[in-house]
Amino acid sequence: MLDNLAKFTNLKRDISEINIDPLQRGGILTPEARAALVEWGDGYSVCDFCGGMLDRIKNPPIEEFVHGVLPEFLGTDEVRITHGAREGKYAAMHALCEKGDYVVIDGNAHYTTVLAAERAGLKIEYVPSSKEPSYSISAQGYADAIERAYEQKGNVSMAVLTYPDGNYGNLADAKAVANVCHDYGVPLMLNGAYAIGRMPISARELEADIIVGSGHKSMAASGPVGVLGASEEYARTIFRLSPTKKNKEVELLGCTVRGAPLLTLMASFPAVVERIKAWPEEIEKARWFSCEMEKMNMVQLGDRPHNHDLMFFLAENLYEISQTAKKGRYFLYRDLKERGVSGIKPGLTRQFKLSTFGLSREMLQKVLGAFEDIINSY
Amino acid sequence: MLDNLAKFTNLKRDISEINIDPLQRGGILTPEARAALVEWGDGYSVCDFCGGMLDRIKNPPIEEFVHGVLPEFLGTDEVRITHGAREGKYAAMHALCEKGDYVVIDGNAHYTTVLAAERAGLKIEYVPSSKEPSYSISAQGYADAIERAYEQKGNVSMAVLTYPDGNYGNLADAKAVANVCHDYGVPLMLNGAYAIGRMPISARELEADIIVGSGHKSMAASGPVGVLGASEEYARTIFRLSPTKKNKEVELLGCTVRGAPLLTLMASFPAVVERIKAWPEEIEKARWFSCEMEKMNMVQLGDRPHNHDLMFFLAENLYEISQTAKKGRYFLYRDLKERGVSGIKPGLTRQFKLSTFGLSREMLQKVLGAFEDIINSY
């Protein structure tokens, strides 16, 4: 087994020219991040000049990035680097909630929010969405869920809103949700994995207490890396110091991203700040794309008009084709790939999500052309 | 603050030709890993062909690496990829121990073992080392520590041995420690962050139940990435599936290293397997280096003869120089850097650690020459 290992080297990424997987659109490296990867690739390279705290390293200027720039960028008091959004959610839950407590989670939440709660030993009370076609999450739903947890004599120690969610790209009224949660004295955590780095967002403006983001999902960084922000009140507990090891934050196990991904996050950051300014055009492009898809009888679910690049489509026509097509439900994956488009999961036809983020209208026209071509060819 | 961001791009790693920091010696990328970084740099690139479990991805061949190759390499039943050794230690403690339990830890343990225990809410009973000059850890010390915990009515649910430790590079008799722990029904976790990827090691041969390693520290990988291995008995609990989310392992929050560091770990792996075969020469080189340092009146502490490339030196002569040298205790850092050597922490003179791993005798002769030159110049 340990003799034939060459297969693990020289692996190529076999992917189409256009990748519309929402997971991949916001994580494409900038040239600056690519250069950072090469420069800082070695093992623990960022630690050469560390005095004991990752976020206090002055060369490279991690301290300025983490303590100066990121809190302003996220609109929060304190920020730390994490391995990603899920690790940030777990850290916050683990620090702020007691085993057996309730956490209230929107019904559109990413599975990792559920896993973070399960890992922290928390019970979950869901805020159901309005179901098809809008799948919206209401502020009132949070009040109802908190009340239901109370009826079970539960202690609700956190609420989470996925903003936007990763299925429909819906942006709920976060501020209204925060207000409801605060009426009950419950802190609100925003999962901004699909927001931070794509669109303007401020925890303070939305009155969220905690916010997590993902470098690899939406900040043009190499994974795994993320950000965790919190208001002073909660930061104190989440980022508490070890009672025995000087300057080491317990919840972060001292330090988190001791490697190149952090440097890619920093290197891409100026470009990320720039691209967020073009968010209105991104929305416009997404709406146009959605409209063109609907002309081909595929229906966009979720918020309408849509406010995000991540969109969910219902395609009965593609499903019908799959019933008789060669390779069955894998036809769509194959046919799109033949036309230079990837990112819709193999086997999906009736419903799928995609993202238009960072793709030019010309590229998106190619995607639309591929769908049209496929539909017409059966 | 968000206007002047160019400083975060184009950052260069300002490091000397020879870096003797033990943290850095084992993490230098192979050319294959460097190529993998570039090819797989984008965000979540490894997830293009994921069916829901990172460790089951067939293209790139992560499944074969994680489930086929690594268990054999580590001599254990089950392996998963983690963000690093500390995250592996925490995952194992969090999964296997109850809050308030005791964990028995060697007195030479890395600070992250303590943080992992603190984060998991565990009490710590230390196995003290024999102190200067050998700082050795005995198997009997584990029995004594477990007994002390029992006297306090504690439940001892894990023991940890740092193998080797990161201060002295000592390799304790792990098998004897395992036997003592097993006599008490306590599982033993080996922290192999400085072993796995440098020297031959098998959890099974040492009778360790759990083992963690670090990709960025010793496996020529870009951080953060590590490995966590466990025997079937404990793997079942550590890698338990979510009761609600199909195929997702709770303790790993579904998946861990969803990015390029994992691909660098794989790309370097054939070279890592090769370099381990040269371990006897690495030891010989370390012993020769230690001997040459002692000729200059610096004393190597820890195991003698030494069995690892990481070594700790006591240098009263350098300390004396620091009392009158310009820049005081920072003279050594500056003077070594002027001679092309970095890796000893700024400000240290009287005692410091270094590593000879992967450096040729010619390079090490340069290091020795630099020390000699500095000593003679005052």
Side-chain angles (χ1 to χ4, degrees):
Chain A
M1 180 73 76
L2 295 182
D3 288 329
N4 177 22
L5 301 172
K7 72 188 90 164
F8 297 121
T9 64
N10 205 23
L11 290 162
K12 296 294 173 199
R13 195 174 168 207
D14 172 30
I15 207 71
S16 306
E17 188 199 355
I18 305 178
N19 190 346
I20 55 175
D21 188 343
L23 206 64
Q24 305 289 359
R25 293 299 325 147
I28 298 168
L29 297 188
T30 59
E32 293 78 12
R34 218 166 277 282
L37 258 190
V38 173
E39 180 73 19
W40 298 87
D42 287 334
Y44 267 119
S45 64
V46 303
C47 308
D48 276 325
F49 304 105
C50 182
M53 293 183 93
L54 176 75
D55 57 295
R56 293 297 180 187
I57 293 176
K58 288 186 170 59
N59 170 24
I62 294 172
E63 182 174 50
E64 183 175 350
F65 183 65
V66 173
H67 292 275
V69 170
L70 284 180
E72 179 178 337
F73 179 64
L74 296 174
T76 188
D77 295 334
E78 288 283 340
V79 178
R80 294 293 184 279
I81 302 298
T82 66
H83 296 299
R86 66 187 73 187
E87 287 83 359
K89 287 182 281 188
Y90 173 70
M93 288 182 192
H94 183 255
L96 298 173
C97 310
E98 287 296 318
K99 212 171 157 172
D101 280 359
Y102 274 82
V103 59
V104 167
I105 296 177
D106 61 290
N108 292 338
H110 194 246
Y111 80 87
T112 54
T113 305
V114 178
L115 287 189
E118 288 178 357
R119 190 185 189 194
L122 307 179
K123 293 176 191 145
I124 297 173
E125 190 63 47
Y126 285 99
V127 180
S129 80
S130 64
K131 300 297 170 193
E132 201 174 325
S134 71
Y135 293 94
S136 59
I137 297 288
S138 72
Q140 181 57 41
Y142 278 79
D144 298 343
I146 293 170
E147 294 285 354
R148 283 197 303 278
Y150 285 171
E151 278 164 26
Q152 292 163 80
K153 312 252 179 266
N155 180 38
V156 181
S157 47
M158 190 180 290
V160 185
L161 172 63
T162 319
Y163 188 83
D165 75 89
N167 268 329
Y168 309 103
N170 284 352
L171 288 158
D173 186 345
K175 199 171 175 172
V177 171
N179 286 332
V180 165
C181 294
H182 293 163
D183 284 347
Y184 288 93
V186 173
L188 177 67
M189 172 158 68
L190 285 187
N191 175 4
Y194 273 115
I196 298 165
R198 290 166 116 101
M199 55 180 272
I201 179 170
S202 161
R204 200 166 285 123
E205 281 172 26
L206 299 175
E207 298 184 27
D209 306 278
I210 301 142
I211 188 165
V212 299
S214 166
H216 37 281
K217 210 170 210 167
S218 299
M219 299 177 81
S222 188
V225 63
V227 291
L228 166 60
S231 64
E232 187 48 45
E233 180 180 358
Y234 299 101
R236 227 175 292 135
T237 306
I238 303 174
F239 307 132
R240 72 200 175 281
L241 290 167
S242 162
T244 62
K245 297 291 172 184
K246 198 182 148 209
N247 288 342
K248 304 294 184 185
E249 291 171 345
V250 177
E251 203 59 52
L252 307 180
L253 297 173
C255 51
T256 54
V257 185
R258 43 211 186 277
L262 172 53
L263 271 287
T264 67
L265 186 74
M266 290 164 63
S268 280
F269 189 71
V272 162
V273 168
E274 269 317 299
R275 78 185 187 188
I276 288 171
K277 294 178 186 162
W279 183 242
E281 289 100 276
E282 285 290 343
I283 295 179
E284 208 183 311
K285 215 169 49 181
R287 289 178 181 180
W288 161 75
F289 184 88
S290 168
C291 186
E292 294 298 313
M293 288 285 278
E294 298 208 326
K295 285 181 190 165
M296 291 183 268
N297 297 317
M298 293 174 280
V299 183
Q300 185 236 305
L301 304 185
D303 289 346
R304 292 177 70 97
H306 210 60
N307 301 308
H308 197 270
D309 59 273
L310 189 160
M311 289 174 288
F312 187 99
F313 289 93
L314 202 62
E316 292 295 343
N317 48 355
L318 293 173
Y319 174 68
E320 269 167 45
I321 293 171
S322 77
Q323 300 299 299
T324 55
K326 207 177 146 186
K327 282 222 163 192
R329 63 197 182 91
Y330 291 93
F331 91 96
L332 182 62
Y333 177 78
R334 178 200 58 206
D335 286 10
L336 281 171
K337 196 165 183 197
E338 280 170 13
R339 289 163 177 84
V341 177
S342 67
I344 289 180
K345 280 201 193 307
L348 296 185
T349 60
R350 196 177 219 162
Q351 37 188 31
F352 50 83
K353 54 185 183 177
L354 54 78
S355 161
T356 54
F357 188 71
L359 287 167
S360 66
R361 293 218 177 205
E362 291 67 38
M363 297 286 243
L364 290 173
Q365 199 67 66
K366 262 194 167 182
V367 177
L368 291 165
F371 274 106
E372 188 173 17
D373 206 27
I374 292 167
I375 291 169
N376 291 340
S377 71
Y378 287 93
Chain B
M1 181 71 81
L2 296 182
D3 289 328
N4 178 23
L5 302 172
K7 72 188 90 164
F8 297 120
T9 64
N10 204 21
L11 291 162
K12 296 295 174 200
R13 193 172 169 208
D14 173 30
I15 207 70
S16 307
E17 187 199 357
I18 305 178
N19 190 346
I20 54 175
D21 188 342
L23 207 63
Q24 305 290 359
R25 292 302 320 148
I28 298 168
L29 297 189
T30 58
E32 292 78 13
R34 217 165 278 282
L37 258 190
V38 174
E39 179 73 18
W40 298 87
D42 287 333
Y44 268 119
S45 64
V46 303
C47 309
D48 276 323
F49 303 104
C50 182
M53 294 183 92
L54 176 76
D55 56 296
R56 293 297 180 185
I57 294 176
K58 288 186 170 60
N59 171 24
I62 295 172
E63 181 174 50
E64 183 174 351
F65 183 65
V66 173
H67 292 274
V69 170
L70 285 179
E72 179 177 337
F73 178 64
L74 297 174
T76 188
D77 295 334
E78 287 284 341
V79 178
R80 294 293 185 279
I81 302 299
T82 66
H83 295 298
R86 67 188 73 187
E87 287 83 359
K89 286 182 282 189
Y90 174 70
M93 288 182 191
H94 183 254
L96 298 173
C97 310
E98 287 296 318
K99 212 171 157 173
D101 280 359
Y102 273 83
V103 60
V104 167
I105 296 177
D106 61 290
N108 291 338
H110 195 247
Y111 81 87
T112 54
T113 305
V114 178
L115 287 189
E118 288 179 356
R119 190 184 189 195
L122 308 179
K123 294 175 190 147
I124 298 172
E125 190 64 48
Y126 285 100
V127 179
S129 79
S130 64
K131 300 298 169 194
E132 200 175 325
S134 72
Y135 293 93
S136 59
I137 296 288
S138 72
Q140 181 57 40
Y142 277 79
D144 298 343
I146 293 170
E147 294 283 356
R148 285 196 303 278
Y150 285 171
E151 279 165 25
Q152 292 163 78
K153 313 254 180 262
N155 180 38
V156 181
S157 46
M158 190 180 288
V160 185
L161 172 63
T162 318
Y163 187 84
D165 74 88
N167 267 329
Y168 308 104
N170 283 353
L171 287 159
D173 186 344
K175 199 170 176 171
V177 171
N179 285 333
V180 165
C181 294
H182 292 164
D183 283 346
Y184 287 93
V186 173
L188 176 67
M189 172 159 68
L190 285 187
N191 175 6
Y194 273 115
I196 297 165
R198 292 166 116 102
M199 55 181 272
I201 179 170
S202 162
R204 200 167 284 122
E205 280 173 25
L206 299 174
E207 298 182 26
D209 306 278
I210 301 142
I211 187 164
V212 298
S214 165
H216 36 279
K217 210 168 210 168
S218 300
M219 298 176 82
S222 188
V225 63
V227 292
L228 165 59
S231 65
E232 187 48 45
E233 180 180 357
Y234 299 101
R236 228 174 292 135
T237 305
I238 303 174
F239 306 132
R240 70 199 176 282
L241 290 168
S242 162
T244 62
K245 298 291 172 184
K246 198 183 149 206
N247 288 342
K248 304 293 184 185
E249 290 172 345
V250 177
E251 203 58 52
L252 307 180
L253 297 172
C255 50
T256 55
V257 185
R258 42 210 187 278
L262 172 53
L263 271 287
T264 67
L265 187 74
M266 289 164 64
S268 279
F269 190 71
V272 162
V273 169
E274 269 317 298
R275 77 186 188 186
I276 288 171
K277 293 179 186 160
W279 184 242
E281 289 100 274
E282 285 290 344
I283 295 180
E284 208 183 311
K285 216 168 52 180
R287 289 177 180 179
W288 161 75
F289 184 88
S290 167
C291 186
E292 294 298 312
M293 288 286 277
E294 297 207 326
K295 285 181 190 164
M296 291 183 268
N297 296 317
M298 292 172 279
V299 183
Q300 184 236 304
L301 304 185
D303 289 346
R304 294 176 71 95
H306 209 60
N307 301 307
H308 196 271
D309 58 272
L310 190 161
M311 291 175 288
F312 188 100
F313 289 94
L314 202 65
E316 292 295 342
N317 48 354
L318 293 174
Y319 173 69
E320 270 168 43
I321 293 171
S322 77
Q323 300 299 298
T324 56
K326 205 176 147 187
K327 284 223 162 193
R329 64 197 180 92
Y330 291 92
F331 90 95
L332 181 61
Y333 176 79
R334 178 201 58 207
D335 287 11
L336 281 173
K337 195 163 182 198
E338 280 170 12
R339 289 163 178 84
V341 178
S342 66
I344 289 179
K345 281 204 189 307
L348 296 185
T349 59
R350 196 178 218 160
Q351 37 188 29
F352 50 83
K353 55 185 182 174
L354 55 78
S355 161
T356 54
F357 189 72
L359 286 167
S360 66
R361 293 218 178 207
E362 291 65 39
M363 296 286 243
L364 290 173
Q365 197 68 67
K366 262 192 162 180
V367 177
L368 291 165
F371 274 107
E372 188 172 16
D373 206 27
I374 292 166
I375 292 169
N376 291 339
S377 70
Y378 287 91

